């Protein structure tokens, strides 16, 4: 509860954290005794360091990787349900998207050998290390599935590669969500529970759109 002191001239002064002064229109306006806080980091440095990656490369890597993984899963489902045209277009689309995604990743790394260096170890706590091994196991199966689907050779091998790529596809489409969330950016880090579902939904929508464009209407 605030108290006032009465001066000799009859004016009152408010004691406390704020000081009241008479306004021009007879109203009392409060004047802060403590200046407003200025939120700033030490020595004027940014609170978060700017990302070192290039936006077009990483955006292409994320989108095309998700498209590749979801297309392989769609190709496997189409293969097992008797939709050959949809399966073939999804296999080719997966291989093309995978190639574009790897190009964007290697281009952002600067040197191709940096990607190979990540295969020297397997670190469970590193999304990039786990993702590198996922891509290494997925890429040959996706390439084999697309090659056999286009040429018609070795159908048994092609079916096995299609199913294998389809089973690995969800991991390819969603591991990048863990990669994005494993950063200091609060908006990304706090959404680590929802981000995999977002990436999976986006990849499935992209693969479905590609299938509708490339396959006959009866199979899409």
């Amino acid at each position: 509860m605030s108290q006032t002191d009465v001066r000799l001239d009859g004016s009152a002064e408010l004691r406390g954290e704020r000081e009241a002064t008479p306004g021009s229109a007879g109203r009392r306006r409060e004047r802060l005794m403590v200046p407003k806080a200025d939120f700033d980091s030490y020595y004027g440095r940014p609170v978060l360091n700017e990302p070192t990656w290039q936006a077009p490369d990483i955006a292409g890597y994320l989108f095309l990787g998700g498209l590749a993984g979801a297309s392989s899963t769609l190709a496997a489902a189409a293969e097992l349900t008797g939709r050959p045209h949809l399966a073939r277009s999804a296999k080719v689309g997966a291989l093309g998207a995978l190639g574009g995604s790897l190009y964007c990743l290697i281009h952002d790394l600067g040197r191709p050998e940096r990607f190979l260096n990540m295969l020297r170890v397997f670190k469970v706590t590193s999304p990039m290390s786990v993702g590198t091994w996922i891509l290494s196991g997925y890429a040959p199966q996706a390439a084999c599935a697309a090659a056999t689907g286009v040429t018609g050779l070795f159908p048994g091998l092609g079916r096995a590669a299609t199913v294998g790529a389809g089973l690995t596809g969800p991991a390819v489409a969603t591991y990048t969500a863990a990669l994005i969330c494993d950063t200091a950016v609060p908006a990304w880090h706090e959404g680590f529970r929802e981000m995999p579902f977002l990436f999976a939904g986006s990849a499935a929508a992209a693969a479905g759109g590609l299938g509708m464009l490339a396959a006959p209407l009866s199979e899409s």
Side-chain angles (χ1 to χ4, degrees), residues 139-170:
Q141 298 183 87
C144 180
T148 56
V150 172
T151 61
L153 301 175
F154 308 106
L157 178 62
R159 178 176 286 253
T162 300
V163 174
L167 293 176
T168 316

PDB file of all heavy atoms in Angstrom, residues 139-170:
ATOM      1  N   ALA A 139      19.534 -45.975 -51.122  1.00  0.00           N
ATOM      2  CA  ALA A 139      19.852 -45.569 -52.489  1.00  0.00           C
ATOM      3  C   ALA A 139      20.050 -46.752 -53.437  1.00  0.00           C
ATOM      4  O   ALA A 139      19.482 -46.761 -54.545  1.00  0.00           O
ATOM      5  CB  ALA A 139      21.078 -44.658 -52.485  1.00  0.00           C
ATOM      6  N   PRO A 140      20.834 -47.786 -53.096  1.00  0.00           N
ATOM      7  CA  PRO A 140      20.984 -48.904 -54.041  1.00  0.00           C
ATOM      8  C   PRO A 140      19.670 -49.627 -54.336  1.00  0.00           C
ATOM      9  O   PRO A 140      19.430 -50.049 -55.482  1.00  0.00           O
ATOM     10  CB  PRO A 140      21.982 -49.838 -53.329  1.00  0.00           C
ATOM     11  CG  PRO A 140      22.708 -48.963 -52.367  1.00  0.00           C
ATOM     12  CD  PRO A 140      21.706 -47.952 -51.916  1.00  0.00           C
ATOM     13  N   GLN A 141      18.814 -49.759 -53.335  1.00  0.00           N
ATOM     14  CA  GLN A 141      17.535 -50.425 -53.559  1.00  0.00           C
ATOM     15  C   GLN A 141      16.631 -49.594 -54.461  1.00  0.00           C
ATOM     16  O   GLN A 141      15.961 -50.133 -55.348  1.00  0.00           O
ATOM     17  CB  GLN A 141      16.841 -50.676 -52.221  1.00  0.00           C
ATOM     18  CG  GLN A 141      17.619 -51.582 -51.291  1.00  0.00           C
ATOM     19  CD  GLN A 141      16.869 -51.862 -50.008  1.00  0.00           C
ATOM     20  OE1 GLN A 141      16.057 -52.787 -49.935  1.00  0.00           O
ATOM     21  NE2 GLN A 141      17.123 -51.053 -48.989  1.00  0.00           N
ATOM     22  N   ALA A 142      16.617 -48.268 -54.249  1.00  0.00           N
ATOM     23  CA  ALA A 142      15.805 -47.405 -55.101  1.00  0.00           C
ATOM     24  C   ALA A 142      16.311 -47.415 -56.536  1.00  0.00           C
ATOM     25  O   ALA A 142      15.521 -47.426 -57.493  1.00  0.00           O
ATOM     26  CB  ALA A 142      15.805 -45.985 -54.541  1.00  0.00           C
ATOM     27  N   ALA A 143      17.644 -47.425 -56.705  1.00  0.00           N
ATOM     28  CA  ALA A 143      18.214 -47.459 -58.051  1.00  0.00           C
ATOM     29  C   ALA A 143      17.909 -48.781 -58.741  1.00  0.00           C
ATOM     30  O   ALA A 143      17.552 -48.815 -59.933  1.00  0.00           O
ATOM     31  CB  ALA A 143      19.722 -47.232 -57.967  1.00  0.00           C
ATOM     32  N   CYS A 144      18.023 -49.886 -58.016  1.00  0.00           N
ATOM     33  CA  CYS A 144      17.727 -51.194 -58.603  1.00  0.00           C
ATOM     34  C   CYS A 144      16.252 -51.311 -58.965  1.00  0.00           C
ATOM     35  O   CYS A 144      15.899 -51.847 -60.028  1.00  0.00           O
ATOM     36  CB  CYS A 144      18.137 -52.283 -57.618  1.00  0.00           C
ATOM     37  SG  CYS A 144      17.825 -53.963 -58.198  1.00  0.00           S
ATOM     38  N   ALA A 145      15.388 -50.794 -58.101  1.00  0.00           N
ATOM     39  CA  ALA A 145      13.959 -50.861 -58.384  1.00  0.00           C
ATOM     40  C   ALA A 145      13.610 -50.068 -59.641  1.00  0.00           C
ATOM     41  O   ALA A 145      12.822 -50.525 -60.485  1.00  0.00           O
ATOM     42  CB  ALA A 145      13.170 -50.339 -57.188  1.00  0.00           C
ATOM     43  N   ALA A 146      14.189 -48.879 -59.783  1.00  0.00           N
ATOM     44  CA  ALA A 146      13.899 -48.063 -60.961  1.00  0.00           C
ATOM     45  C   ALA A 146      14.464 -48.693 -62.224  1.00  0.00           C
ATOM     46  O   ALA A 146      13.803 -48.702 -63.278  1.00  0.00           O
ATOM     47  CB  ALA A 146      14.470 -46.658 -60.762  1.00  0.00           C
ATOM     48  N   ALA A 147      15.684 -49.224 -62.155  1.00  0.00           N
ATOM     49  CA  ALA A 147      16.308 -49.815 -63.344  1.00  0.00           C
ATOM     50  C   ALA A 147      15.546 -51.035 -63.829  1.00  0.00           C
ATOM     51  O   ALA A 147      15.279 -51.180 -65.034  1.00  0.00           O
ATOM     52  CB  ALA A 147      17.766 -50.177 -63.029  1.00  0.00           C
ATOM     53  N   THR A 148      15.172 -51.913 -62.924  1.00  0.00           N
ATOM     54  CA  THR A 148      14.424 -53.104 -63.338  1.00  0.00           C
ATOM     55  C   THR A 148      13.001 -52.756 -63.771  1.00  0.00           C
ATOM     56  O   THR A 148      12.426 -53.435 -64.629  1.00  0.00           O
ATOM     57  CB  THR A 148      14.378 -54.110 -62.183  1.00  0.00           C
ATOM     58  OG1 THR A 148      13.818 -53.483 -61.016  1.00  0.00           O
ATOM     59  CG2 THR A 148      15.777 -54.617 -61.856  1.00  0.00           C
ATOM     60  N   GLY A 149      12.443 -51.704 -63.169  1.00  0.00           N
ATOM     61  CA  GLY A 149      11.105 -51.299 -63.571  1.00  0.00           C
ATOM     62  C   GLY A 149      11.061 -50.737 -64.978  1.00  0.00           C
ATOM     63  O   GLY A 149      10.080 -50.951 -65.713  1.00  0.00           O
ATOM     64  N   VAL A 150      12.108 -50.034 -65.395  1.00  0.00           N
ATOM     65  CA  VAL A 150      12.152 -49.448 -66.733  1.00  0.00           C
ATOM     66  C   VAL A 150      12.527 -50.493 -67.786  1.00  0.00           C
ATOM     67  O   VAL A 150      11.938 -50.539 -68.873  1.00  0.00           O
ATOM     68  CB  VAL A 150      13.138 -48.264 -66.756  1.00  0.00           C
ATOM     69  CG1 VAL A 150      13.354 -47.761 -68.185  1.00  0.00           C
ATOM     70  CG2 VAL A 150      12.624 -47.137 -65.879  1.00  0.00           C
ATOM     71  N   THR A 151      13.514 -51.321 -67.473  1.00  0.00           N
ATOM     72  CA  THR A 151      13.999 -52.299 -68.453  1.00  0.00           C
ATOM     73  C   THR A 151      13.177 -53.588 -68.480  1.00  0.00           C
ATOM     74  O   THR A 151      13.163 -54.296 -69.489  1.00  0.00           O
ATOM     75  CB  THR A 151      15.461 -52.649 -68.161  1.00  0.00           C
ATOM     76  OG1 THR A 151      15.558 -53.242 -66.846  1.00  0.00           O
ATOM     77  CG2 THR A 151      16.325 -51.392 -68.207  1.00  0.00           C
ATOM     78  N   GLY A 152      12.532 -53.919 -67.384  1.00  0.00           N
ATOM     79  CA  GLY A 152      11.796 -55.178 -67.321  1.00  0.00           C
ATOM     80  C   GLY A 152      12.661 -56.384 -67.031  1.00  0.00           C
ATOM     81  O   GLY A 152      12.153 -57.516 -67.004  1.00  0.00           O
ATOM     82  N   LEU A 153      13.956 -56.195 -66.812  1.00  0.00           N
ATOM     83  CA  LEU A 153      14.871 -57.291 -66.541  1.00  0.00           C
ATOM     84  C   LEU A 153      14.845 -57.653 -65.056  1.00  0.00           C
ATOM     85  O   LEU A 153      14.596 -56.791 -64.200  1.00  0.00           O
ATOM     86  CB  LEU A 153      16.291 -56.905 -66.953  1.00  0.00           C
ATOM     87  CG  LEU A 153      16.498 -56.531 -68.427  1.00  0.00           C
ATOM     88  CD1 LEU A 153      17.918 -56.063 -68.659  1.00  0.00           C
ATOM     89  CD2 LEU A 153      16.157 -57.723 -69.330  1.00  0.00           C
ATOM     90  N   PHE A 154      15.117 -58.897 -64.776  1.00  0.00           N
ATOM     91  CA  PHE A 154      15.215 -59.400 -63.403  1.00  0.00           C
ATOM     92  C   PHE A 154      14.012 -58.953 -62.560  1.00  0.00           C
ATOM     93  O   PHE A 154      14.162 -58.209 -61.584  1.00  0.00           O
ATOM     94  CB  PHE A 154      16.509 -58.931 -62.741  1.00  0.00           C
ATOM     95  CG  PHE A 154      17.741 -59.213 -63.546  1.00  0.00           C
ATOM     96  CD1 PHE A 154      18.398 -58.187 -64.214  1.00  0.00           C
ATOM     97  CD2 PHE A 154      18.227 -60.511 -63.654  1.00  0.00           C
ATOM     98  CE1 PHE A 154      19.544 -58.442 -64.956  1.00  0.00           C
ATOM     99  CE2 PHE A 154      19.373 -60.777 -64.396  1.00  0.00           C
ATOM    100  CZ  PHE A 154      20.038 -59.742 -65.054  1.00  0.00           C
ATOM    101  N   PRO A 155      12.831 -59.380 -62.919  1.00  0.00           N
ATOM    102  CA  PRO A 155      11.644 -58.920 -62.187  1.00  0.00           C
ATOM    103  C   PRO A 155      11.636 -59.328 -60.719  1.00  0.00           C
ATOM    104  O   PRO A 155      11.144 -58.586 -59.861  1.00  0.00           O
ATOM    105  CB  PRO A 155      10.487 -59.568 -62.959  1.00  0.00           C
ATOM    106  CG  PRO A 155      11.096 -60.737 -63.679  1.00  0.00           C
ATOM    107  CD  PRO A 155      12.490 -60.327 -64.004  1.00  0.00           C
ATOM    108  N   GLY A 156      12.178 -60.510 -60.416  1.00  0.00           N
ATOM    109  CA  GLY A 156      12.214 -60.932 -59.021  1.00  0.00           C
ATOM    110  C   GLY A 156      13.104 -60.031 -58.179  1.00  0.00           C
ATOM    111  O   GLY A 156      12.730 -59.618 -57.067  1.00  0.00           O
ATOM    112  N   LEU A 157      14.277 -59.728 -58.695  1.00  0.00           N
ATOM    113  CA  LEU A 157      15.183 -58.816 -58.000  1.00  0.00           C
ATOM    114  C   LEU A 157      14.575 -57.428 -57.876  1.00  0.00           C
ATOM    115  O   LEU A 157      14.693 -56.758 -56.841  1.00  0.00           O
ATOM    116  CB  LEU A 157      16.522 -58.745 -58.741  1.00  0.00           C
ATOM    117  CG  LEU A 157      17.575 -57.789 -58.177  1.00  0.00           C
ATOM    118  CD1 LEU A 157      17.976 -58.190 -56.761  1.00  0.00           C
ATOM    119  CD2 LEU A 157      18.802 -57.742 -59.099  1.00  0.00           C
ATOM    120  N   GLY A 158      13.905 -56.999 -58.955  1.00  0.00           N
ATOM    121  CA  GLY A 158      13.281 -55.678 -58.919  1.00  0.00           C
ATOM    122  C   GLY A 158      12.176 -55.584 -57.887  1.00  0.00           C
ATOM    123  O   GLY A 158      12.042 -54.569 -57.193  1.00  0.00           O
ATOM    124  N   ARG A 159      11.391 -56.649 -57.757  1.00  0.00           N
ATOM    125  CA  ARG A 159      10.321 -56.638 -56.752  1.00  0.00           C
ATOM    126  C   ARG A 159      10.898 -56.597 -55.337  1.00  0.00           C
ATOM    127  O   ARG A 159      10.403 -55.871 -54.477  1.00  0.00           O
ATOM    128  CB  ARG A 159       9.425 -57.856 -56.928  1.00  0.00           C
ATOM    129  CG  ARG A 159       8.303 -57.963 -55.904  1.00  0.00           C
ATOM    130  CD  ARG A 159       7.422 -59.149 -56.238  1.00  0.00           C
ATOM    131  NE  ARG A 159       6.590 -58.858 -57.388  1.00  0.00           N
ATOM    132  CZ  ARG A 159       5.282 -58.616 -57.325  1.00  0.00           C
ATOM    133  NH1 ARG A 159       4.663 -58.635 -56.157  1.00  0.00           N
ATOM    134  NH2 ARG A 159       4.589 -58.364 -58.404  1.00  0.00           N
ATOM    135  N   ALA A 160      11.958 -57.364 -55.109  1.00  0.00           N
ATOM    136  CA  ALA A 160      12.590 -57.357 -53.790  1.00  0.00           C
ATOM    137  C   ALA A 160      13.170 -55.980 -53.478  1.00  0.00           C
ATOM    138  O   ALA A 160      13.033 -55.469 -52.351  1.00  0.00           O
ATOM    139  CB  ALA A 160      13.683 -58.422 -53.723  1.00  0.00           C
ATOM    140  N   ALA A 161      13.800 -55.356 -54.466  1.00  0.00           N
ATOM    141  CA  ALA A 161      14.357 -54.019 -54.247  1.00  0.00           C
ATOM    142  C   ALA A 161      13.245 -52.996 -54.037  1.00  0.00           C
ATOM    143  O   ALA A 161      13.398 -52.066 -53.233  1.00  0.00           O
ATOM    144  CB  ALA A 161      15.226 -53.623 -55.440  1.00  0.00           C
ATOM    145  N   THR A 162      12.145 -53.159 -54.729  1.00  0.00           N
ATOM    146  CA  THR A 162      11.015 -52.243 -54.563  1.00  0.00           C
ATOM    147  C   THR A 162      10.447 -52.318 -53.157  1.00  0.00           C
ATOM    148  O   THR A 162      10.166 -51.291 -52.519  1.00  0.00           O
ATOM    149  CB  THR A 162       9.921 -52.560 -55.591  1.00  0.00           C
ATOM    150  OG1 THR A 162      10.450 -52.413 -56.913  1.00  0.00           O
ATOM    151  CG2 THR A 162       8.731 -51.627 -55.423  1.00  0.00           C
ATOM    152  N   VAL A 163      10.264 -53.530 -52.665  1.00  0.00           N
ATOM    153  CA  VAL A 163       9.743 -53.694 -51.307  1.00  0.00           C
ATOM    154  C   VAL A 163      10.741 -53.172 -50.282  1.00  0.00           C
ATOM    155  O   VAL A 163      10.368 -52.507 -49.304  1.00  0.00           O
ATOM    156  CB  VAL A 163       9.397 -55.172 -51.047  1.00  0.00           C
ATOM    157  CG1 VAL A 163       8.999 -55.393 -49.595  1.00  0.00           C
ATOM    158  CG2 VAL A 163       8.274 -55.622 -51.979  1.00  0.00           C
ATOM    159  N   GLY A 164      12.024 -53.453 -50.490  1.00  0.00           N
ATOM    160  CA  GLY A 164      13.040 -52.960 -49.558  1.00  0.00           C
ATOM    161  C   GLY A 164      13.098 -51.445 -49.519  1.00  0.00           C
ATOM    162  O   GLY A 164      13.174 -50.839 -48.442  1.00  0.00           O
ATOM    163  N   ALA A 165      13.058 -50.818 -50.696  1.00  0.00           N
ATOM    164  CA  ALA A 165      13.058 -49.352 -50.735  1.00  0.00           C
ATOM    165  C   ALA A 165      11.785 -48.792 -50.128  1.00  0.00           C
ATOM    166  O   ALA A 165      11.802 -47.742 -49.473  1.00  0.00           O
ATOM    167  CB  ALA A 165      13.216 -48.868 -52.174  1.00  0.00           C
ATOM    168  N   GLY A 166      10.665 -49.505 -50.337  1.00  0.00           N
ATOM    169  CA  GLY A 166       9.408 -49.039 -49.756  1.00  0.00           C
ATOM    170  C   GLY A 166       9.412 -49.098 -48.247  1.00  0.00           C
ATOM    171  O   GLY A 166       8.831 -48.229 -47.580  1.00  0.00           O
ATOM    172  N   LEU A 167      10.061 -50.099 -47.675  1.00  0.00           N
ATOM    173  CA  LEU A 167      10.147 -50.196 -46.220  1.00  0.00           C
ATOM    174  C   LEU A 167      11.108 -49.161 -45.643  1.00  0.00           C
ATOM    175  O   LEU A 167      10.916 -48.684 -44.519  1.00  0.00           O
ATOM    176  CB  LEU A 167      10.603 -51.608 -45.819  1.00  0.00           C
ATOM    177  CG  LEU A 167       9.622 -52.743 -46.126  1.00  0.00           C
ATOM    178  CD1 LEU A 167      10.236 -54.084 -45.777  1.00  0.00           C
ATOM    179  CD2 LEU A 167       8.310 -52.536 -45.366  1.00  0.00           C
ATOM    180  N   THR A 168      12.130 -48.805 -46.389  1.00  0.00           N
ATOM    181  CA  THR A 168      13.097 -47.811 -45.921  1.00  0.00           C
ATOM    182  C   THR A 168      12.614 -46.394 -46.193  1.00  0.00           C
ATOM    183  O   THR A 168      13.098 -45.443 -45.568  1.00  0.00           O
ATOM    184  CB  THR A 168      14.459 -48.038 -46.607  1.00  0.00           C
ATOM    185  OG1 THR A 168      14.758 -49.428 -46.619  1.00  0.00           O
ATOM    186  CG2 THR A 168      15.578 -47.310 -45.878  1.00  0.00           C
ATOM    187  N   GLY A 169      11.670 -46.249 -47.121  1.00  0.00           N
ATOM    188  CA  GLY A 169      11.207 -44.923 -47.521  1.00  0.00           C
ATOM    189  C   GLY A 169      10.718 -44.044 -46.385  1.00  0.00           C
ATOM    190  O   GLY A 169      11.076 -42.861 -46.321  1.00  0.00           O
ATOM    191  N   PRO A 170       9.888 -44.544 -45.448  1.00  0.00           N
ATOM    192  CA  PRO A 170       9.436 -43.671 -44.358  1.00  0.00           C
ATOM    193  C   PRO A 170      10.574 -43.104 -43.518  1.00  0.00           C
ATOM    194  O   PRO A 170      10.504 -41.956 -43.061  1.00  0.00           O
ATOM    195  CB  PRO A 170       8.532 -44.605 -43.538  1.00  0.00           C
ATOM    196  CG  PRO A 170       8.026 -45.597 -44.524  1.00  0.00           C
ATOM    197  CD  PRO A 170       9.157 -45.825 -45.465  1.00  0.00           C
TER     198      PRO A 170
END
